[in-house]
């Protein structure tokens, strides 16, 4: 949370055209933008009426006239209210106008489950936007990346969908944040842990679950390589497939739902062309099931992917011996 | 505020350009020589001509979909516009945008296919203009159907709360796509612009078939917005004489109503006025008509002879970022 705030503050100090708008961002529900109004004023930290499509639209209109707005969608579930502007306008304008109009707009979306907030404040919505052309998507898993990716996003001339997992905002609160101009490039995965037996690609909050799984399995001398893509679009498949070439086994972990998920796309790519020969076992996908998110914690816990489910998937792929 | 004779002739010419362009566009589609779609502004040409004449080059326009005249009036070249509709290399965006084209050089934004989406975008552009302290005006032009989408209220709300230099032009042409006004609105007499009353945004109805009235009323609100007096709304009352688009079956049309409005054709009316004030006689008007027709025909011939875009450009301009397709 502090990392995100630092990124916003530094970019607002650096560039007068950067401003924030969203619902109640002056008070700030989750705290990311709290206090920024004292430093930058109501002109640059703008509370808007509740109307997601129009908030994104207004930000886009401002972005096309030389501003660099950062929009907050209070929960990523609410992004569906702005789906028309995000998918049809924001993402496509550069192409439709053949580069005449740029939309340097960042859409921040707190996302994910773990708080018993139920069906409409807990979903991982990135897969719904994943298919949209012209829309880079960032999903940091560490405080340092949260700062570095957000700063890169704000300086980008492309629109960026920026996912902030709410659990990570709390869990990573004590993590060290690099000072000053810390920029993390899009499309460059981080290898969080090296290992030679299986490659686990995990997105967002699932990176921590994958690392926990890897730690457990290390006790059994199973070497798990954990890759954090950091950005979903562009996706650093080069790093991922280089790892699979080494391990011959792939597990993909995401908090969004299984059907048509990030894992589905990555699995298809991992078995296409020459990649087909890299694998010694079927690809395993760990994701949420195709049901709504239940409210009560015990059911939500059963719904969400976690380290145990990752361990089970790793064991399945390691146990595979073929015909 | 007054209108000089040079402007009068320009308004007349712009009305003609729109009409002849729409006619030629439909003809080329019917002949199978143009693959785009035409939403002709027949009977509504005075609105595009009048509202754009009230804008300066630096002012920003979000055009309506039934609005090739919006582009022409804002300065988009006829040849580049026609080449765009014809999907040719010489088009503003070499046919990629097509009827959705945007034209940065003339400050005309691209057109959202989900009509009404641009409403909030226009508010945002006006916010940017205000934040930067520029003396520019943002204008959005939509039909009453698009104005029925919920973002119209968001736009008026933002314009009022943030006191934006935003001029909203609502063309009320009696029809919404393939149905009549009363399918969409509870009252015909009240029009739609009065919805701005709640937001305390000045609004009035204007005879959309009188090009000078359109210009004068628009000029007044544009000047006011430029002077920092906030947003305004004008409802242009007219009637769509053609169909929703070139292949409209027209089965739902109230012929009596349309015939009644045909008598108020904006171009015929203006020709009568130009003669009455002694600015041009029938022969002089004929010379102008011929010249505009020739200009439009030449643009289509030029486009036909133009190259088609190279399929190698298919992936250009999706993102600036590498690998983010």
């Amino acid at each position: 949370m502090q990392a995100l705030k630092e990124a916003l503050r530094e970019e607002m100090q650096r560039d007068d055209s950067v401003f924030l708008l969203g619902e109640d961002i002056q008070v700030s529900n989750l705290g990311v933008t709290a206090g920024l109004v004292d430093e930058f004023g109501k002109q640059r930290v703008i509370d808007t009426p509740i109307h997601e499509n129009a908030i994104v639209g207004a930000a886009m209109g401002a972005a096309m006239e030389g501003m660099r707005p950062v929009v907050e969608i209070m929960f990523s579930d609410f992004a569906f209210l702005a789906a028309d502007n995000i998918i049809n306008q924001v993402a496509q304008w550069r192409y439709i106008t053949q580069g005449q109009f740029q939309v340097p707009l960042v859409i921040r979306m707190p996302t994910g489950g773990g708080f018993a907030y139920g069906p409409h404040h807990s979903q991982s919505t990135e897969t719904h936007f994943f298919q949209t052309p012209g829309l880079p998507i960032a999903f940091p898993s560490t405080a340092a990346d949260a700062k570095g990716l957000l700063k890169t996003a704000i300086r980008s001339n492309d629109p960026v969908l920026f996912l902030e997992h709410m659990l990570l905002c709390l869990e990573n609160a004590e993590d060290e944040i690099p000072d000053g101009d810390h920029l993390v490039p899009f499309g460059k995965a981080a290898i969080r842990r090296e290992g030679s037996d299986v490659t686990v690609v995990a997105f967002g909050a699932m990176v921590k679950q994958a690392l926990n799984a890897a730690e457990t399995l290390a006790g059994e001398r199973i070497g798990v390589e954990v890759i954090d893509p950091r950005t979903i679009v562009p996706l650093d498949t080069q790093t991922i497939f280089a790892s699979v070439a080494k391990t011959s086994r792939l597990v993909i972990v995401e908090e969004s739902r299984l059907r048509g998920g990030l894992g589905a796309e990555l699995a298809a790519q991992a078995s296409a062309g020459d990649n087909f020969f890299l694998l010694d076992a079927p690809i395993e996908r760990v994701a949420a099931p195709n049901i709504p998110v239940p409210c009560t914690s015990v059911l939500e816990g059963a719904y969400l992917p976690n380290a145990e489910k990752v361990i089970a998937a790793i064991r399945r792929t390691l146990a595979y011996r073929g015909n | 505020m007054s209108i000089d004779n040079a402007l009068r002739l320009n308004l007349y010419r712009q009305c003609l350009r729109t009409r002849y362009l729409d006619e030629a566009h439909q003809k080329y589609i019917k002949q199978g020589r143009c693959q785009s779609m035409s939403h002709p502004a027949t009977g509504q040409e005075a609105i595009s001509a009048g509202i754009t004449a009230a804008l300066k080059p630096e002012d920003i326009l979000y055009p309506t979909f039934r609005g090739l005249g919006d582009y022409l009036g804002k300065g988009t070249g006829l040849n580049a516009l026609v080449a765009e509709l014809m999907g040719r290399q010489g088009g503003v965006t070499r046919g990629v945008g097509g009827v959705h084209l945007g034209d940065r050089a003339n400050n005309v934004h691209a057109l959202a296919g989900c009509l009404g989406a641009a409403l909030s975008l226009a508010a945002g552009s006006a916010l940017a203009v205000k934040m930067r302290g520029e003396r520019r005006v943002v204008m959005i032009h939509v039909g009453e159907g698009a104005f029925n989408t919920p973002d119209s209220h968001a736009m008026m709300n933002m314009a009022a709360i943030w006191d934006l230099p935003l001029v909203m032009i609502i063309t009320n042409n009696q029809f919404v796509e393939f149905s009549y006004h009363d399918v969409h609105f509870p009252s015909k007499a009240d029009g739609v612009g009065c919805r701005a009353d709640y937001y305390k945004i000045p609004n009035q109805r204007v005879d959309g078939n009188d090009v000078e009235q359109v210009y004068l009323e628009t000029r007044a609100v544009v000047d006011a917005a430029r002077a920092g007096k906030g947003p305004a709304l004008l409802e242009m009352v007219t009637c769509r004489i053609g169909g929703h688009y070139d292949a409209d079956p027209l089965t739902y049309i109230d012929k009596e109503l349309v015939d009644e409005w045909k008598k108020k054709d904006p171009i015929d009316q203006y020709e009568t006025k130009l003669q009455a004030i002694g600015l041009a006689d029938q022969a002089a008007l004929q010379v102008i008509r011929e010249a505009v027709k020739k200009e439009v025909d030449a643009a289509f011939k030029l486009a036909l002879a133009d190259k088609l875009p190279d399929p190698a450009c298919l992936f250009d301009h999706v993102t600036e970022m590498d690998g983010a397709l």
Side-chain angles (χ1 to χ4, degrees):
Chain A
M1 192 149 17
Q2 193 56 34
L4 296 166
K5 187 179 296 192
E6 273 187 28
L8 293 173
R9 177 184 287 126
E10 288 174 16
E11 293 307 300
M12 289 178 82
Q13 286 168 344
R14 178 179 169 273
D15 183 349
D16 284 346
S17 65
V18 178
F19 74 102
L20 316 180
L21 72 173
E23 293 161 8
D24 296 324
I25 58 171
Q26 291 174 8
V27 170
S28 188
N29 178 38
L30 298 170
V32 173
T33 53
L36 291 176
V37 68
D38 301 328
E39 191 174 343
F40 298 102
K42 289 181 178 179
Q43 305 303 314
R44 292 181 69 193
V45 182
I46 302 175
D47 276 350
T48 63
I50 297 175
H51 193 134
E52 279 73 9
N53 200 49
I55 296 167
V56 170
M60 174 177 168
M64 289 192 291
E65 300 305 337
M67 304 300 285
R68 289 187 175 273
V70 182
V71 167
E72 178 181 293
I73 300 289
M74 198 180 271
F75 293 89
S76 79
D77 313 64
F78 302 174
F80 297 128
L81 289 158
D84 175 35
N85 273 340
I86 294 174
I87 296 169
N88 284 328
Q89 275 72 247
V90 167
Q92 296 187 28
W93 234 237
R94 184 185 180 89
Y95 188 74
I96 291 172
T97 66
Q98 289 289 283
Q100 294 176 87
F101 289 87
Q102 301 194 120
V103 188
L105 161 65
V106 179
I107 302 170
R108 295 179 36 242
M109 312 202 302
T111 191
F115 293 89
Y117 284 169
H120 303 146
H121 295 73
S122 310
Q123 296 175 93
S124 286
T125 57
E126 59 272 18
T127 48
H128 294 271
F129 296 98
F130 177 50
Q131 223 205 10
T132 304
L135 189 63
I137 304 175
F139 199 175
S141 77
T142 68
D145 280 358
K147 178 174 178 180
L149 287 169
L150 184 52
K151 286 171 74 85
T152 302
I154 292 170
R155 295 185 198 184
S156 167
N157 288 327
D158 293 317
V160 170
L161 209 56
F162 196 92
L163 297 152
E164 302 167 0
H165 200 289
M166 295 184 286
L167 213 52
L168 293 179
C169 285
L170 298 179
E171 287 179 350
N172 295 346
E174 305 299 319
D175 288 5
E176 202 167 312
I177 305 164
D179 280 334
D181 242 4
H182 171 65
L183 295 169
V184 173
F186 277 49
K188 195 92 194 75
I191 299 175
R192 298 292 179 204
R193 181 184 180 116
E194 292 194 10
S196 56
D197 295 321
V198 59
T199 298
V200 176
V201 176
F203 295 90
M206 290 300 113
V207 174
K208 194 158 280 186
Q209 299 301 318
L211 286 171
N212 290 345
E215 186 62 31
T216 301
L217 292 173
E220 301 174 27
R221 296 181 181 277
I222 296 171
V224 179
E225 183 141 302
V226 178
I227 296 179
D228 172 4
R230 307 201 277 194
T231 59
I232 297 171
V233 178
L235 186 60
D236 181 4
T237 49
Q238 202 180 344
T239 298
I240 293 168
F241 298 145
S243 173
V244 177
K246 183 174 70 174
T247 63
S248 306
R249 286 176 162 78
L250 175 61
V251 175
I252 306 159
V253 191
E254 62 186 309
E255 191 175 318
S256 41
R257 298 186 178 98
L258 186 72
R259 185 168 67 219
L262 306 174
E265 170 61 24
L266 186 52
Q269 288 192 36
S271 53
D274 287 343
N275 288 342
F276 182 72
F277 302 104
L278 298 180
L279 293 162
D280 285 344
I283 296 164
E284 287 287 337
R285 291 187 288 150
V286 181
N290 280 89
I291 59 171
V293 187
C295 276
T296 181
S297 289
V298 63
L299 290 180
E300 190 192 25
Y303 166 91
L304 290 171
N306 56 27
E308 286 70 42
K309 293 176 187 175
V310 177
I311 290 170
I314 292 171
R315 289 195 196 285
R316 281 197 299 276
T317 187
L318 289 173
Y320 183 81
R321 289 288 171 261
N323 292 317
Chain B
M1 195 129 17
S2 64
I3 300 184
D4 64 27
N5 287 340
L7 177 56
R8 285 198 166 100
L9 289 174
N10 189 47
L11 289 171
Y12 175 58
R13 221 175 267 121
Q14 289 296 351
C15 290
L16 288 176
R17 289 173 99 205
T18 306
R19 177 156 304 177
Y20 294 155
L21 173 56
D22 277 339
E23 285 175 358
H25 190 201
Q26 290 179 90
K27 184 180 86 183
Y28 274 76
I29 291 171
K30 285 208 172 79
Q31 292 172 345
R33 292 197 282 178
C34 176
Q35 290 180 341
S36 71
M37 199 185 260
S38 165
H39 298 99
T42 316
Q44 308 175 196
E45 294 89 344
I47 299 166
S48 288
I51 61 171
T52 53
L55 295 176
K56 294 185 175 184
E58 65 268 29
D59 291 335
I60 296 160
L61 175 64
Y62 283 86
T64 183
F65 78 107
R66 197 176 302 289
L68 295 180
D70 283 6
Y71 292 91
L72 294 174
K74 200 65 180 65
T76 302
L78 180 65
N79 290 345
L81 180 56
V82 170
E84 184 68 25
L85 299 172
M86 297 284 281
R88 295 309 205 268
Q89 180 66 30
V92 182
T93 64
R94 56 186 167 192
V96 172
V99 292
H100 298 272
L101 85 157
D103 179 7
R104 177 80 273 185
N106 290 293
N107 287 313
V108 192
H109 276 276
L111 180 73
C114 303
L115 301 182
L119 294 159
S120 60
L121 274 60
S125 289
L127 176 65
V129 162
K130 185 171 177 177
M131 289 176 89
R132 295 159 75 95
E134 298 169 346
R135 287 176 58 81
R136 303 160 83 188
V137 173
V138 178
M139 174 184 283
I140 176 148
H141 183 194
V142 292
E144 83 274 35
F147 192 62
N148 224 11
T149 61
D151 284 11
S152 65
H153 284 283
M155 170 183 68
M156 290 190 285
N157 203 16
M158 288 172 171
I161 292 170
W162 299 335
D163 196 26
L164 300 176
L166 179 63
V167 170
M168 311 161 206
I169 305 290
I170 318 301
T171 286
N172 186 345
N173 70 1
Q174 324 278 334
F175 295 101
V176 176
E177 286 193 314
F178 308 104
S179 49
Y180 188 60
H181 188 92
D182 60 4
V183 172
H184 304 267
F185 300 95
S187 158
K188 186 178 174 185
D190 290 343
V192 299
C194 56
R195 289 180 180 180
D197 284 345
Y198 170 78
Y199 302 97
K200 303 206 166 30
I201 293 173
N203 62 90
Q204 62 169 319
R205 308 187 87 189
V206 177
D207 177 357
N209 285 30
D210 180 338
V211 70
E212 292 195 2
Q213 278 307 308
V214 171
Y215 167 74
L216 288 169
E217 298 296 352
T218 308
R219 181 68 197 269
V221 294
V222 164
D223 287 355
R226 197 185 309 284
K229 291 180 184 159
L233 183 149
L234 298 176
E235 178 182 354
M236 302 295 174
V237 182
T238 183
C239 181
R240 194 187 78 200
I241 300 300
H244 171 56
Y245 77 118
D246 48 273
D248 187 335
L250 300 173
T251 47
Y252 55 94
I253 298 285
D254 177 349
K255 202 171 166 311
E256 261 178 52
L257 172 94
V258 173
D259 285 345
E260 203 50 45
W261 276 89
K262 273 185 186 168
K263 294 178 196 157
K264 293 184 266 187
D265 181 89
I267 293 175
D268 293 349
Q269 276 196 73
Y270 205 38
E271 288 184 346
T272 306
K273 173 160 184 173
L274 293 177
Q275 292 177 81
I277 61 172
L279 186 57
D281 58 13
Q282 199 44 263
L285 294 175
Q286 182 64 19
V287 169
I288 297 172
R289 283 196 294 260
E290 290 301 327
V292 174
K293 223 172 222 159
K294 210 177 255 179
E295 185 196 13
V296 171
D297 288 346
F300 275 89
K301 289 205 176 88
L302 202 64
L304 271 182
D306 192 6
K307 282 188 297 218
L308 293 167
D310 182 351
C313 77
L314 180 64
F315 296 98
D316 293 354
H317 299 297
V318 178
T319 54
E320 187 175 271
M321 198 180 286
D322 285 338
L325 292 185

